[in-house]
């Protein structure tokens, strides 16, 4: 099985078409196309080794030489562009001789162990030896050779065997051009030349294990360890990564039910053949022994679990829900869905809650991440989604990244962004911390606005002030496209002296001249695009900042075409989709309010049940009401609220107060410790459905293996529904998608058939846009006229003082994913075994803290202990940690503060004090953690006797 069909060099686009003759056949291709690519398009295979269509041509192996009538010599077809009317021959006796000679040299320094080589049958060198007809090698192994070179097996996922290297440089170029990490070089010259990865080995180098080099390697030099273990794959199924909001498409290459490797799909609309370490390598959790595959029930959370049949578990859960609703009323129950779920799973869950349980008490984990995006963009632009495709960034002249860390959180898009930056786009970064983008190989931010956590709205105000008072508004755009009254009111507000950079500089901790320069660059630098993340939304004024960002884009006409826009970088794979599917308590699928009579009537007719017009409870309200005694049962699908929601003590208190908690998940997660029913979930490899990524791209999730628990997750929800007296008659996830399409205008044209045909499609997809909508708001905003909102800066109530003088802010790291339930069960723990607290050298010195010390982190909500890392990446007064390990308790110390409009928690601002300590915090000691080498499954004391 070949890694993919390869056209040798990248495709070109041009209005000029060139016609040439190759081996007697007329071929027409865009100007700039290489002769090799033209030949491949025409079905003529040219032998090659150093060329591949994901990389710029290099011209080193000399295998692809051709003859061109009337030209001297033998040009390399990979580096020679087509020309009108030329006649090319790819097969002549002379060319055959040259190629044979070249191959003979390669093979003479290559171990002839093809039969036992792990890539036997999937090796381009082997293929080329066959293609050029090499039958014998005259030079043998005598003399100098590389056959005894030592293997580098340091990376947990792939190995490097230099004895098989042909020094084609594809790996080096992949690392530079595709990934943008520049971890590899070719050292030495001539016979001495070799691939080198930093000082020691791959693991110690700058390598981020994206695997682009492994994919590019034409031999077995760089090879996945899984291929060595399982052998060459036999078939493949195209599916979608279940980690981040980039939504990379992958070919799951299989041997029976065994995944051999995940190869990023070249046709993937979001990733174009690239991936990060999570999607490509960290899929082992799907078959991890921690998976629970048998349903379990128990009367009390202090009892041992009892394994039961699916029928019994479903029956018990349904009877408990029925009992509780009969006793406490129908509003005493609710459900939580996850952005890890497919669209179809979210849809059936909210349908169950609304139609079967008769309440709108359904919420989603987007509550704690991007709910302000949904609110803010709906208010200003009219649609709760990003405006662009990822590819749009390749048309940007100015990239403004605010509160996001794309190279860690959205790595494949981060690589694409870096590519555009290396081409010359300008970069503004607004972040309290020095993220990698600020300074990485061949990328340097023009302005790093190192603002204090919690001051985003002030930053937007200062930039708005400059744009308004320096005449940088695009008046024509605003006049034609926006509500003038709202615009004028916004201008008056922005122009106030209190919003000037000079007035806000101290609040922000950013020099006024930098604020002015960044604003001017954004407004006048050409196509300017804003990318933002949780550093914008997870604040008490998260929605305000989102609206402020939209104001900036509208005022400067940076919306409605390629290269511009307002782009929320959604964290999880299906944040966009779970919101689209009506997982919020006030909205049906398609963001239609439950109080809207016509919409409600539509769903009542389709679902055959009366529906409530009252918005239901949000997650924090469910927990509050559980504690106060009126909320009694929860169905929690794929979400671990104990670990991911703020103020853990409050969450666990809420859960402990309920009479029936049903958890559906792959693992016995932290929330399951408070559950009475456990439904085992299916991994993304075991189910069908769709995910919708950050660019509104709906991509198919295809089942590649049988669910270990017996059922796909939507089937479990449907079974519960049947047990509650409402059978759901779906036979496949595609039936659910058809129902979604029938009831949701923006999904009207979406179906599995269309996804099979197009690969993916960006909503809105309807009669007017049957192939989807890459760029939104082109001629007019979805709401008609764009609306400006006054975004006044209101400082958070979470203040520093003498007791809590530092601000803690949080973020993610490349190798781990959210609460780590999946990535902690893979070799990704190699790179991040524990969460650590970053502290500036001045703050560390004041407290006598040294690198590696245990430090206690105390906030008004709680206390935890982490190892310290002293670094100037954070500014004085700010400390930073990630939240991937449950034992770290990042959310033990975060507070109850939340966004005024959406209740999104203020994760990014917590006043804390740090002190050097010698032992773990009390709750950590009680948790008995760090006994399992600080990785993997953490056994909760409540459960250790009974699992
Ligand atoms: S490791 Fe593979 S891709 Fe890199 S130079 Fe060697 S053969 Fe080429
Ligand atoms: S795995 Fe990625 S980052 Fe590492 S060397 Fe290969 S291309 Fe570079
Ligand atoms: S985690 Fe994100 S960037 Fe990485 S492969 Fe998956 S979807 Fe792509
Ligand atoms: S493929 Fe053209 S020189 Fe190597």
């Amino acid at each position: 099985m070949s890694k993919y069909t390869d056209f040798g060099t990248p495709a070109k686009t041009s209005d000029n078409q060139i016609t040439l003759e190759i081996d007697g056949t007329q071929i027409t291709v865009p100007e700039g196309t290489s002769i090799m690519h033209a030949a491949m398009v025409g079905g003529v295979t040219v032998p090659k080794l150093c060329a591949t269509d994901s990389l710029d041509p290099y011209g080193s192996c000399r295998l692809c030489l051709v003859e061109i009538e009337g030209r001297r010599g033998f040009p390399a077809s990979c580096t020679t562009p087509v020309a009108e009317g030329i006649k090319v021959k790819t097969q002549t006796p002379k060319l055959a001789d040259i190629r044979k000679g070249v191959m003979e040299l390669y093979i003479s320094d290559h171990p002839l162990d093809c039969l036992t080589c792990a890539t036997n049958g999937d090796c381009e060198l082997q293929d080329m030896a066959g293609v050029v007809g090499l039958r014998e090698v005259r030079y043998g192994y005598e003399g100098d050779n590389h056959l005894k070179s030592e293997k580098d097996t340091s990376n947990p996922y792939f190995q490097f065997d230099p004895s098989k290297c042909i020094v084609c440089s594809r790996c080096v170029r992949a690392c530079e051009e595709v990934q943008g990490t520049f971890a590899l070089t070719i050292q030495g010259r001539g016979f001495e030349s070799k691939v080198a990865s930093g000082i020691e080995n791959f693991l110690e180098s700058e390598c981020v294990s994206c695997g682009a080099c492994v994919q590019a390697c034409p031999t077995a030099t760089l090879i996945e360890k899984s291929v060595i273990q399982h052998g060459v794959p036999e078939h493949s199924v195209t599916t979608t990564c279940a980690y981040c909001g980039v939504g990379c498409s992958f070919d799951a290459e299989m041997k029976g039910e065994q995944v051999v490797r995940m190869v990023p799909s070249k046709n993937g609309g979001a990733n174009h053949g690239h991936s990060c370490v999570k999607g490509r390598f960290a899929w082992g959790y799907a078959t991890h022994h921690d998976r629970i595959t048998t349903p379990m029930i128990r009367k009390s959370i202090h009892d041992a679990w009892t394994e039961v049949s699916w029928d019994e578990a479903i029956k018990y859960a349904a009877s408990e829900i029925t009992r509780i609703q009969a006793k406490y009323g129908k509003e005493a129950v609710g459900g939580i869905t996850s952005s890890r779920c497919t669209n179809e799973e979210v849809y059936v869950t909210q349908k169950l809650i609304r139609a079967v349980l008769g309440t709108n008490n359904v919420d989603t984990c987007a509550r704690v991440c991007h709910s302000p995006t949904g609110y803010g963009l709906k208010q200003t632009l009219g649609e709760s989604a990003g405006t662009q495709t990822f590819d749009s960034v390749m048309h940007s002249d100015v990239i403004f990244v605010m509160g996001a860390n794309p190279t860690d959180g959205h790595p494949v898009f981060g690589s694409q962004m870096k590519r555009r930056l290396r081409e010359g786009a300008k970069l503004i970064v607004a972040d309290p911390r020095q993220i990698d983008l600020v300074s990485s190989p061949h990328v340097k931010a023009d302005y790093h606005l190192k603002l204090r956590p919690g001051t985003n709205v002030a930053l937007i105000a200062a930039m708005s002030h400059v744009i308004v008072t320096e005449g940088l508004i695009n008046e024509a755009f605003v006049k034609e496209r926006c509500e003038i009254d709202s615009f004028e009111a916004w201008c008056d507000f922005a122009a106030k002296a209190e919003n000037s950079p000079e007035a806000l500089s101290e609040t922000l901790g950013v020099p006024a001249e930098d604020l002015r320069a960044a604003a001017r660059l954004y407004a006048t630098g050409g196509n300017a695009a804003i990318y933002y993340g949780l550093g914008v939304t997870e604040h008490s004024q998260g929605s305000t900042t989102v609206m402020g960002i939209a104001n900036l884009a509208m005022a400067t006409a940076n919306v409605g075409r390629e290269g511009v826009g307002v782009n929320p970088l959604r964290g999880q794979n299906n944040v966009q989709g779970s919101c689209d599917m009506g997982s919020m308590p006030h909205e049906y699928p398609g963001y239609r309010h439950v109080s809207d009579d016509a919409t409600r009537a539509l769903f009542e007719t389709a679902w055959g049940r009366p529906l409530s017009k009252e918005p239901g409870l949000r997650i924090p309200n469910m927990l509050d009401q559980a504690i106060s005694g009126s909320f009694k049962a929860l169905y929690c699908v794929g979400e671990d609220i104990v670990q991911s929601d703020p103020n853990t003590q409050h969450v666990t208190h809420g859960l402990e107060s309920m009479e029936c908690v049903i958890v559906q998940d792959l693992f016995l997660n932290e929330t399951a410790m408070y559950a009475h029913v456990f439904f085992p979930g299916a991994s993304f490899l075991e189910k069908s459905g769709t995910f919708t990524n950050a660019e509104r791209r709906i991509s198919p999730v295809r089942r590649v293996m049988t669910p270990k628990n017996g059922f796909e997750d939507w089937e479990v929800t449907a079974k519960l529904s049947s047990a509650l007296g409402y059978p759901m008659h779906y036979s496949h996830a595609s039936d659910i998608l058809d129902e979604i399409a029938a009831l949701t205008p923006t999904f009207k044209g979406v179906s599995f058939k269309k996804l099979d045909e197009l690969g993916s499609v960006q909503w809105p997809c309807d009669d007017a846009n049957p192939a989807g909508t890459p760029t939104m708001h082109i001629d007019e905003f979805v709401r008609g006229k764009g609306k400006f909102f006054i975004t006044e800066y209101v400082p958070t109530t979470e203040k520093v003082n003498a007791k809590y003088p530092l601000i803690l802010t949080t973020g993610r790291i490349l190798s781990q994913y959210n609460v780590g339930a999946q990535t902690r069960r893979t070799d990704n723990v190699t790179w991040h075994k524990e969460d650590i607290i970053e502290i500036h050298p001045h703050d560390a010195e004041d407290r006598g803290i040294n690198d590696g010390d245990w430090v206690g982190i105390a906030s008004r909500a709680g206390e935890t202990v982490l190892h310290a890392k002293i670094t100037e990446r954070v500014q004085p007064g700010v400390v930073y940690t990630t939240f991937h390990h449950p034992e770290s308790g990042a959310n033990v110390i975060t507070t109850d503060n939340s966004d005024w409009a959406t209740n999104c928690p203020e994760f990014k601002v917590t006043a804390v004090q740090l002190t050097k300590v010698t032992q773990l915090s009390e709750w950590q000691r009680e948790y008995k953690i760090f006994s399992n080498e600080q990785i993997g499954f953490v056994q909760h004391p409540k459960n250790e006797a009974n699992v």
Side-chain angles (χ1 to χ4, degrees):
M1 166 173 288
S2 165
K3 284 178 188 172
Y4 51 68
T5 314
D6 193 330
F7 289 89
T9 62
K12 299 285 177 189
T13 50
S14 169
D15 291 340
N16 286 344
Q17 296 293 306
I18 303 289
T19 300
L20 71 163
E21 185 184 299
I22 300 180
D23 292 346
T25 303
Q26 297 287 309
I27 295 171
T28 301
V29 289
E31 188 176 16
T33 303
S34 71
I35 289 176
M36 174 182 279
H37 193 102
M40 303 285 197
V41 168
V44 175
T45 302
V46 182
K48 66 177 185 61
L49 277 172
C50 69
T52 179
D53 56 13
S54 57
L55 301 172
D56 290 338
Y58 191 57
S60 71
C61 75
R62 315 306 292 165
L63 205 62
C64 69
L65 308 187
V66 291
E67 290 182 21
I68 303 175
E69 195 175 288
R71 288 197 199 172
R72 288 173 50 192
F74 303 95
S77 63
C78 62
T79 51
T80 308
V82 294
E84 188 63 43
I86 59 171
K87 292 183 177 172
V88 178
K89 284 192 179 138
T90 70
Q91 306 294 340
T92 68
K94 184 66 193 164
L95 289 171
D97 269 1
I98 297 172
R99 288 175 186 151
K100 232 183 238 183
V102 169
M103 279 307 295
E104 200 172 358
L105 282 171
Y106 279 125
I107 299 295
S108 66
D109 192 11
H110 195 87
L112 294 179
D113 59 355
C114 293
L115 282 182
T116 52
C117 179
T119 57
N120 186 19
D122 184 24
C123 169
E124 291 183 45
L125 189 68
Q126 193 182 39
D127 291 348
M128 288 309 127
V131 166
V132 305
L134 189 67
R135 295 284 173 264
E136 60 175 323
V137 178
R138 287 166 293 171
Y139 311 119
Y141 287 161
E142 296 86 26
D144 287 343
N145 61 54
H146 299 90
L147 301 175
K148 293 211 164 50
S149 308
E150 213 175 302
K151 284 181 195 161
D152 174 356
T153 58
S154 59
N155 188 289
Y157 295 118
F158 59 84
Q159 75 167 33
F160 173 61
D161 178 358
S163 72
K164 300 192 173 194
C165 181
I166 58 170
V167 202
C168 65
S169 190
R170 275 163 65 160
C171 53
V172 178
R173 289 179 285 138
C175 192
E176 293 176 4
E177 294 174 27
V178 180
Q179 168 56 25
T181 293
F182 294 80
L184 302 177
T185 50
I186 301 282
Q187 265 180 6
R189 308 184 69 167
F191 177 79
E192 299 298 328
S193 60
K194 62 173 185 183
V195 173
S197 58
I199 316 157
E200 284 288 328
N201 52 37
F202 272 82
L203 192 61
E204 306 299 322
S205 73
E206 296 296 312
C207 168
V208 293
S209 294
C210 70
C213 57
V214 180
Q215 185 167 339
C217 182
T219 67
T221 312
L222 282 161
I223 181 171
E224 298 92 342
K225 288 181 176 175
S226 56
V227 175
I228 297 172
Q229 186 184 356
H230 300 297
V232 177
E234 292 162 344
H235 71 280
S236 79
V237 181
T238 303
T239 188
T240 303
C241 179
Y243 280 119
C244 86
V246 177
C248 295
S249 177
F250 279 89
D251 296 328
E253 295 195 346
M254 310 290 296
K255 214 170 187 180
E257 291 255 308
Q258 172 67 51
V259 177
V260 174
R261 67 181 166 198
M262 297 289 278
V263 178
S265 168
K266 265 201 323 179
N267 298 325
N271 60 319
H272 307 297
H274 191 36
S275 75
C276 80
V277 61
K278 295 190 285 290
R280 191 191 294 261
F281 294 123
W283 36 266
Y285 72 89
T287 50
H288 195 276
H289 57 76
D290 283 350
R291 276 277 301 270
I292 307 284
T293 53
T294 308
M296 301 188 295
I297 59 173
R298 58 182 175 181
K299 291 267 182 245
S300 152
I301 60 169
H302 305 292
D303 292 344
W305 284 108
T306 306
E307 290 189 352
V308 293
S309 67
W310 269 109
D311 280 352
E312 193 175 344
I314 295 280
K315 207 167 137 199
Y316 180 73
S319 69
E320 278 296 276
I321 291 171
T322 307
R323 176 186 70 77
I324 286 167
Q325 285 200 303
K327 185 169 174 188
Y328 301 101
K330 61 183 179 189
E331 297 299 328
V333 303
I336 297 174
T337 65
S338 168
S339 300
R340 286 161 56 200
C341 299
T342 63
N343 286 323
E344 293 71 17
E345 288 156 12
V346 174
Y347 178 85
V348 293
T349 303
Q350 60 88 36
K351 178 176 173 178
L352 171 94
I353 304 293
R354 298 187 202 280
V356 186
L357 305 186
T359 167
N360 287 318
N361 292 340
V362 60
D363 208 358
T364 173
C365 60
R367 170 73 50 221
V368 299
C369 67
H370 267 286
S371 49
T373 289
Y375 180 83
L377 297 186
K378 180 95 178 169
Q379 297 293 312
T380 48
L381 311 181
E383 192 57 272
S384 302
T387 60
Q388 311 296 125
T389 60
F390 288 134
D391 287 351
S392 160
V393 77
M394 299 313 287
H395 302 275
S396 297
D397 303 305
V398 178
I399 298 171
F400 179 13
V401 178
M402 184 169 189
N405 186 0
T407 54
D408 279 61
H410 302 82
V412 164
F413 178 61
S415 288
Q416 188 175 28
M417 186 184 272
K418 285 203 288 190
R419 201 149 60 241
R420 181 61 190 155
L421 291 167
R422 289 198 303 275
E423 288 175 0
K426 303 285 186 195
L427 175 65
I428 304 165
V429 172
D431 201 293
R433 183 169 167 269
Q434 183 173 324
I435 58 171
D436 282 348
L437 265 187
V438 171
S439 180
S440 62
H442 306 282
V443 170
K444 191 157 178 18
D446 294 271
Y447 300 100
H448 177 199
L449 310 176
K450 227 172 177 177
L451 75 175
R452 290 194 216 294
T455 59
N456 287 335
V457 176
L459 183 105
I460 296 295
M463 291 181 72
S464 304
H465 180 90
V466 176
I467 287 166
V468 170
T469 57
E470 294 190 8
L472 307 181
I473 302 276
N474 187 318
E475 302 277 356
F477 180 89
V478 171
K479 208 166 157 191
E480 186 192 334
R481 300 284 305 270
C482 303
E483 281 185 9
I484 292 305
D485 288 355
S486 69
F487 167 69
E488 287 172 351
W490 175 75
C491 283
D492 291 346
F493 160 75
K496 286 181 183 173
E498 68 210 46
N499 287 325
S500 70
E502 290 70 22
L504 290 168
S505 172
E506 195 179 332
T507 301
L508 289 161
V510 179
E513 56 272 27
D514 283 3
L515 293 164
R516 284 196 177 273
R520 287 173 194 143
L521 177 60
Y522 174 75
T524 65
N527 283 344
I530 301 178
Y531 294 89
Y532 71 87
L534 304 184
V536 159
T537 55
E538 289 178 342
H539 287 272
S540 57
Q541 281 200 289
S543 293
T544 317
T545 311
V546 173
M547 292 192 286
I549 284 171
N551 289 341
L552 278 187
M554 289 189 289
T556 55
N558 276 313
V559 66
R561 62 182 187 281
E562 282 207 286
V564 298
V566 177
N567 303 284
L569 294 176
R570 308 292 192 141
Q572 302 201 67
N573 51 327
N574 201 31
V575 180
Q576 182 67 55
S578 74
C579 296
D580 300 342
M581 291 300 104
S583 59
M584 298 271 187
H586 63 293
E587 286 171 340
Y588 291 120
Y591 303 99
R592 289 162 293 170
H593 204 275
V594 292
S595 64
D596 180 71
D597 290 340
T599 307
R600 208 170 56 258
L602 176 75
F603 282 94
E604 284 178 337
T605 306
W607 294 347
R609 286 283 176 102
L611 300 173
S612 167
K613 65 178 181 187
E614 296 300 324
L617 298 173
R618 297 170 175 181
I619 296 171
N621 309 124
M622 291 182 203
L623 295 166
D624 289 345
Q625 294 206 7
I627 292 167
S628 66
S630 56
F631 188 86
K632 294 290 182 183
L634 180 69
Y635 177 36
C636 188
V637 185
E639 185 58 11
D640 188 359
I641 56 171
V642 171
Q643 208 187 330
S644 60
D645 284 33
N647 197 342
T648 309
Q649 302 89 320
H650 182 70
V651 178
T652 54
H653 187 188
L655 290 167
E656 277 171 337
S657 307
M658 296 181 200
E659 292 184 11
C660 180
V661 175
I662 305 162
V663 166
Q664 185 167 323
D665 212 297
L666 293 179
F667 305 107
L668 210 53
N669 61 22
E670 303 302 301
T671 304
M673 304 309 156
Y674 301 87
H676 306 81
V677 180
F678 187 85
F679 291 156
S683 78
F684 80 111
L685 295 170
E686 300 163 334
K687 61 172 93 169
S688 303
T690 52
F691 292 147
T692 307
N693 77 352
E695 38 162 22
R696 293 170 280 105
R697 185 183 300 281
I698 306 160
S699 299
V701 179
R702 296 193 179 90
R703 180 164 155 168
V704 307
M705 58 172 74
T706 312
K708 303 212 172 331
N709 55 329
F711 297 102
E712 300 190 18
D713 286 277
W714 70 262
E715 293 180 282
V716 175
T717 307
K719 277 175 174 296
L720 181 60
S721 183
S722 291
L724 287 161
Y726 185 91
M728 291 184 178
H729 302 288
Y730 308 117
S731 59
H732 185 267
S734 60
D735 297 340
I736 305 171
L737 186 59
D738 290 345
E739 184 175 315
I740 295 165
L743 294 170
T744 314
T746 45
F747 276 64
K748 190 174 175 204
V750 184
S751 66
F752 269 61
K753 186 165 170 284
K754 179 162 281 180
L755 295 175
D756 286 343
E757 284 163 13
L758 301 181
S760 60
V761 66
Q762 287 171 272
W763 68 256
C765 173
D766 47 27
D767 294 342
N769 310 284
T773 309
T775 306
M776 293 194 77
H777 314 294
I778 289 179
D779 295 321
E780 65 169 2
F781 290 104
V782 171
R783 73 183 299 285
K785 298 277 186 191
K787 183 167 182 176
F788 284 79
F789 280 78
I790 290 178
T791 56
E792 196 164 336
Y793 170 57
V794 180
T796 169
T797 54
E798 180 67 3
K799 305 261 188 253
V800 291
N801 60 16
K803 191 169 177 195
Y804 302 110
L806 304 169
I807 297 177
L808 168 74
T809 191
T810 59
R812 297 164 194 226
I813 200 161
L814 169 68
S815 59
Q816 295 290 334
Y817 175 68
N818 269 19
V819 298
Q822 294 138 290
T823 42
R824 279 185 285 110
R825 292 179 171 93
T826 70
D827 281 329
N828 276 28
V829 289
T830 307
W831 294 282
H832 189 74
K833 292 184 174 60
E834 60 176 303
D835 295 315
I836 50 173
I837 185 95
E838 291 185 3
I839 178 169
H840 190 273
H842 293 168
D843 293 325
E845 194 181 346
D846 286 350
R847 291 161 178 78
I849 294 170
N850 296 310
D851 211 49
D853 282 349
W854 283 115
V855 291
I857 306 149
S859 76
R860 294 180 179 95
E863 187 170 352
T864 194
V865 172
L866 298 173
H867 276 120
K869 179 176 181 182
I870 298 174
T871 171
E872 291 190 2
R873 287 181 77 146
V874 288
Q875 53 184 289
V878 175
V879 293
Y880 168 88
T881 189
T882 47
F883 47 80
H884 302 302
H885 292 266
E887 61 269 34
S888 307
N891 288 336
V892 169
I893 44 180
T894 50
T895 68
D896 273 342
N897 290 353
S898 65
D899 175 46
W900 60 271
T902 64
N903 272 150
C904 183
E906 192 179 38
F907 281 137
K908 301 299 180 191
V909 187
T910 308
V912 295
Q913 176 60 296
L914 264 56
T915 45
K916 190 166 165 172
V917 295
T918 53
Q919 61 175 353
L920 300 172
S921 70
E922 195 182 324
W923 80 266
Q924 285 171 313
R925 288 201 303 280
E926 185 199 319
Y927 229 64
K928 296 176 72 178
I929 46 107
F930 298 153
S931 56
N932 194 15
E933 295 175 318
Q934 297 175 305
I935 58 167
F937 185 55
V938 176
Q939 189 76 59
H940 192 285
K942 279 188 180 143
N943 274 27
E944 63 187 2
N946 53 55
V947 176

